[in-house]
Each structure stands twice: as structure tokens, then as C-alpha cells.
Amino acid sequence: MCGIIGYVGRENSERPLEVAREALARLQYRGYDSAGIVVANELGLSFAKRAGKLAALEEQLAAHPLPLASAAIGHTRWATHGGPTDRNAHPHMSQDGSVAVVHNGILENHALLRQELIEAGVEFQSETDTEVAAHLIARAHAAIGDLAQAMRSVARRLEGAFTLLAVAADNPHLVVGARRTSPLVVGLGEGENFLGSDVAAFIARTDQALELGQDQVVTITPESVTVTDFDGRAVEPRRFTVDWDASAAVKGGFPTFMDKEIHDQPNAVRDTLLGRVSRAGRMQLDELRIDESLLRAVDKIVVIACGTASYAGQVAKYAIEHWCRIPVEVELAHEFRYRDPVVDQQTLVVAISQSGETMDTIMAIRHAREQGAKVVAVVNTMGSTIARESDAALYTHAGPEVAVASTKAFLAQIAATYLLGLYLAEARGTMFPDEVRSVMRELDAVPAKIQRVIDGEAAIRRLASEMKDATSVLFLGRHVGYPVAMEGALKLKELAYIHAEGFAAGELKHGPIALIDQGQPVFVVVPSPRGRDVLHDKVLSNIQEVRARGARTLVVAEEGDRAAAAHADTVFWVPRTPTLLAPLVSVVPLQIFACALASAKGLDVDQPRNLAKSVTVE
Ligand code: F6R
């Protein structure tokens, strides 16, 4: 949550403002309640900030341009403390205007600090927790005369999660950042340097980056990057190359990022699968730095994730249990963290996260590691906290996902967990190498099948426009179709603000069938008739049960499944795919449906109300 950019260059120019505006446009998915930029030059600090989407800030900048400068910091906000107003927008200035600050996270002891500052005569301008940091840093800076040292001394006093960036009026040639738990990465340029809440902030400018660790302070000048811990001891950060293509973060002719990302899905899956089988035909997951003997000793897998990523985990459960014969539990990270979960050295925790910054998941993996479990992260964002804090990271190669609702990252997560399952099955000897290769061949054929579903999107879009006044939609599935049903419902809730529920089809008779009345739309994800016949037949019975009670049945079925079509008001065909791999194709019509229905309602598909892309607070 909250997008952050920091920039410093050699000379006074328009570049700092340009870099900040471009970064905020890329980072909007992290929050869009308000935005602001402050620039620094020899004459001091000048800022602009506005409630609302970035367009409101752009209007203000057009009317009142900011001066040429050598440094800038910028922020796009997802409100926590204080509503989304102009006054609460970042940057926050100290009372004397000497320091400006932007912040991501929550300062848990802000009330106490605020009281202390009020008693010392400070008049607050906003209701935010952040403003205390601006005043504290300015006071420390006035006393010490060094912004980095001031930042360190204040960071030591702050409780909670934070990324803070500060610039000072008396030195426009540096920007200082601090991080505890919230994300911050450094971008390395030629005669300029960057700070970002994630690499999307600067991918158009550089692909060279540094990871910052917990409780570190960084100072960037045009020629240098200095990192220390909160006590001032020097730290050597790890350098990495960002392999995202900057053009992946633009709409490329599609009406929304989500439309584009749905169309990116064949590539996201293909790229995630790429290079995972050695010449000798063995699974190779180079990033997996966990000793094979440890993997062989694992007696339980716990998948932790939130939202859509947790549904990827639910799909993985069916595949990994079948292939590896290890029990797999799937836990919402926030639920896992605050009970007393049974994990130990024999437990393999798999944390799934697109952003790699979801605070609930971060807290859960920390807890799991404290209990002795090994953690493998399945993440999309390089240099992210979850990747760094896990024992191993298996990267999905979906590229930057900008739309708030996850699509291509979801498919890439499912593909990556299949790879993990096959790797474990091979290491543990629960599958023969030729069986593994046969699944890999089926997987390699999936991107073309996803493309075929996308090619048939017109029919789904027509249905979506026709249903734009629906007030409730139900989704049913069994086996791997169950998490697909839940994901279909989540997409519709978050994008179209329609009440939607995903159920295990077998659960219908235990309650949910009472919801069915005349005309109730029900999507049903039908398993392959060639897989386990029982499963297929059971779902057909479920369709008949709801149809008999007046439901309008919208069925996702495998091409040629006449039996399913016979019970459907509308059928969406998906290509033949082995049962365990089928979610990669069967979820696609549901994504397209939600996206098209939200567009038909005139809603903002990429930035649904109240949501932010990475949920960096608990
Ligand atoms: C829904 C969605 C969210 C995320 C969840 C976890 O479309 O995107 O439910 O899946 O917030 O986010 P990550 O994967 O970044 O940990």
C-alpha cells in the first residue's frame, strides 16, 4: 500500500519532477486516495498534493508548476490514519518547512509522539500518523545537522511498520530513506539514483537495483548510495538486476491494465515454466536453495497466502497431495499467524504472493521460521520482502501486474506451485521421471489453450453486458474447480461490486441451495468428463439441482462435453486439459466475465474502490 518514489540527480532540471510523476503513474496500483510530490533545490522545498486520483495532482501541477530541482520525493496514498483529503495527502512538511516526508506503513506509537510534540508547541496540519515523523526528523535535523543521522535517531523511536523518505531544504542533493518491515528498494542510475516502494517505480529508468534489509537507513546522492542500520553501522546491500520489461507496465492499446493482463496470461504461464527441465529431463528449480535431503524429510506442507494467492494455494493442494503424497494445508496468512499453528522442522511452508509485500504473509512466514519450518516463497516481485525473508524463492515470471485485481499472477502462481509439486515428487520418488515429463508436456501445452479461451472472449463479454444489473451471482465447483469458483466470485465482488459467493458444489445441499430462486445466475465449473467420471457426474447433478429450482446456469465445460451443455443455459467451452491442470484454463472465462461486467457498469476496473494492490499493513 502507498507507492513511494525518491530521486536525486546532478543538476537542477525538470527531471526530478518528471521521474516522480512517471513513477506515481506506475505506482498508482498501490493506492489512489491522494498523491503528492515535493521537489528540492537551492531555494528550498516546493510541493503539490491533492486528494483523489493522480489526475487531480496532475491538474494542480499544470496550474501551479513546481520549479526545476535536483531531488524529489513522491507518494500515492492508501489511507490508514486520516481520511483521503488534501491535508492528509503526503508529503508532510515540518512546521518550519525545513523537512518533507512521505511514508508507507503505520506508526503505532504516533498518538504518544503527537502528544509530546503538541506539548512542545508543534501545531499539526493533518490527522495522519506520518506527520509526527516530519516534525521529529526536522527537530533532530536542526539539532544534529545531518539528515541521515536525524532519520536514524527518529527511526529508533518509531514503532510499527514504515518506509519513510525525507528531503531537507538545506541540502537538495540527497534523499534519505528508512525501512522497517514496509518495502523499499534502491535503483542505481548514472549520475542519479532512485528509491522506490517497489521496482516498478524506476524500471523505465534503470534495471540495476539494491535490496534493503530490515531496519536500515539509506542515503542517495547523484553519485553514491550509503546504507547503514539504525545505529549507523555500515551495511552491504545485495545488488540485483530487474528482469521486468518496462513496456509490460503500460496498457499497450488495451482499454484497461486488467484487459491487458488477461491477454498476457499465456506468456505469464509460458515464462514461468521456461527452463525448468534440465537436458537430462530432470526438474530444475535453480532458485530453490533448500537441500534435497531436507525436502525428502518434509512430512507436511503448509501454504500461506491471502486472497487470490490463497486460491492458487488451494489448487496446488490437490496437485501436490496427489503427486507427492504429502498432506498439504492451505491457510490464510492472517489466520495462521494469530493462532498456534503446528509447524516444525519437518514442515515446508510455501508462501504465495504476487507483491512479496503482503504484511499478513510476511508476519506468517516470520512466525513459521521461528518454529523451525523452512519457507519457500512463490513470488512475482524481485527484491521483495517475502522473497528476501524466505529460505528460498521460486519466482513467477508474470511481469509487473498493475491492475489491482490479480489475473496473470494467479495463473503464474498456479504454474509455479505445479513445478514445485513435480520437483518434490521427483526428489521424493513418488512419481517416475517419465510421469513428471508427461505432466510437463501437458503443462507446456497450456499457454496455447489459455489463448484459445481468450480468443473466444466476445461471447463472454456479451453475456457480461447483458447481466450488468445482476445483484447476486453464485459460483460452484468441485475438486480443483472449487478454488476456481471462489476466485470467480472474488473477481466479481472486487471489480463489479456484485454480491458473489463461491461454493464447493457438494456443499449446496447443506445450506446454500436455499439462495436459489427464479433467475438466480449460477456459474458452474464442470470437471473434465475424461478425468474422474464420478466427479463430472456429481457436478452435472448439482447443475440439475439448481436448475430445477429456477437458476440460470452458466457453465464452464470442456469442449465436446455434450452432457454438461444439455443442462446449461449458456456454455463457455474450454480446451481439453488434464483435471489437475484445468484451473489454468477454466478460470479465464470467469476473469473475462468480471472484467467485462465491471466495464459495462462503467466502473474503474484497474482501481476498484477501497482496494490497494499490495496490502502492506496487517
Ligand atoms: C485479488 C487480489 C488479492 C491478492 C492478495 C494477496 O484480485 O489481488 O486478493 O491476491 O491481496 O496479494 P499478494 O499476492 O501480493 O500477496
Side-chain angles (χ1 to χ4, degrees), residues 210-227:
L210 299 176
E211 279 179 11
L212 290 184
Q214 212 18 15
D215 288 2
Q216 293 184 353
V217 167
V218 56
T219 306
I220 57 167
T221 71
E223 316 295 346
S224 67
V225 175
T226 316
V227 184

Side-chain angles (χ1 to χ4, degrees), residues 257-577:
F257 277 110
M258 185 168 176
D259 280 287
K260 172 170 184 282
E261 288 160 7
I262 288 173
H263 284 78
D264 277 347
Q265 296 190 113
N267 279 337
V269 172
R270 196 175 287 120
D271 292 349
T272 300
L273 298 176
L274 209 68
R276 305 301 195 167
V277 181
S278 74
R279 278 162 173 261
R282 304 252 322 157
M283 294 297 296
Q284 54 177 22
L285 303 180
D286 293 336
E287 314 101 300
L288 216 67
R289 301 177 300 261
I290 298 182
D291 196 85
E292 272 205 21
S293 60
L294 270 170
L295 293 179
R296 277 195 286 273
V298 163
D299 63 9
K300 178 168 85 171
I301 293 179
V302 180
V303 179
I304 42 185
C306 300
T308 290
S310 78
Y311 300 144
Q314 301 263 15
V315 171
K317 171 183 168 76
Y318 291 88
I320 298 177
E321 284 190 340
H322 182 70
W323 291 333
C324 308
R325 312 308 303 150
I326 311 174
V328 180
E329 293 167 12
V330 185
E331 294 256 13
L332 292 169
H334 33 91
E335 288 298 317
F336 174 87
R337 172 62 188 88
Y338 292 105
R339 54 183 188 81
D340 189 10
V342 183
V343 291
D344 57 26
Q345 290 93 327
Q346 252 94 55
T347 311
L348 180 68
V349 167
V350 178
I352 307 179
S353 175
Q354 186 288 128
S355 60
E357 300 296 351
T358 299
M359 186 56 71
D360 294 310
T361 311
I362 294 172
M363 299 311 274
I365 62 175
R366 286 185 187 158
H367 187 60
R369 291 189 79 192
E370 276 163 24
Q371 318 298 308
K374 289 274 180 240
V375 178
V376 176
V378 173
V379 267
N380 195 43
T381 309
M382 297 186 72
S384 58
T385 307
I386 292 176
R388 218 168 22 77
E389 292 201 10
S390 298
D391 296 286
L394 177 56
Y395 282 102
T396 50
H397 292 285
E401 192 177 61
V402 177
V404 165
S406 187
T407 52
K408 63 176 180 172
F410 177 60
L411 292 205
Q413 285 161 353
I414 295 176
T417 54
Y418 288 153
L419 292 171
L420 181 64
L422 293 173
Y423 181 82
L424 287 173
E426 203 170 69
R428 296 165 65 91
T430 50
M431 276 170 95
F432 291 113
D434 60 332
E435 289 176 305
V436 172
R437 278 198 295 279
S438 150
V439 178
M440 279 307 291
R441 272 196 301 277
E442 293 284 5
L443 265 176
D444 286 338
V446 165
K449 295 181 184 182
I450 298 171
Q451 188 58 52
R452 273 173 53 203
V453 180
I454 294 171
D455 292 344
E457 68 181 326
I460 309 168
R461 288 182 176 280
R462 269 196 303 278
L463 176 79
S465 334
E466 188 203 305
M467 283 179 60
K468 71 177 186 345
D469 298 321
T471 50
S472 155
V473 180
L474 304 182
F475 292 76
L476 301 180
R478 267 179 193 257
H479 194 259
V480 285
Y482 171 37
V484 170
M486 291 193 286
E487 173 62 1
L490 177 59
K491 288 286 95 91
L492 201 58
K493 283 181 228 188
E494 62 182 339
L495 294 169
Y497 317 149
I498 291 179
H499 179 256
E501 294 291 335
F503 296 110
E507 194 63 10
L508 257 189
K509 292 195 274 293
H510 302 283
I513 199 161
L515 291 170
I516 308 291
D517 61 5
Q518 201 57 37
Q520 168 69 53
V522 181
F523 272 91
V524 187
V525 182
V526 180
S528 165
R530 297 165 306 113
R532 298 181 174 186
D533 288 342
V534 189
L535 213 59
H536 177 258
D537 295 352
K538 293 254 182 268
V539 174
L540 291 202
S541 304
N542 298 137
I543 305 179
Q544 292 171 67
E545 283 155 15
V546 294
R547 212 176 189 209
R549 287 161 179 82
R552 176 177 181 190
T553 53
L554 312 159
V555 168
V556 178
E558 193 174 280
E559 283 163 357
D561 184 355
R562 293 228 183 103
H567 303 297
D569 291 301
T570 309
V571 192
F572 300 111
W573 298 114
V574 292
R576 285 179 156 216
T577 310

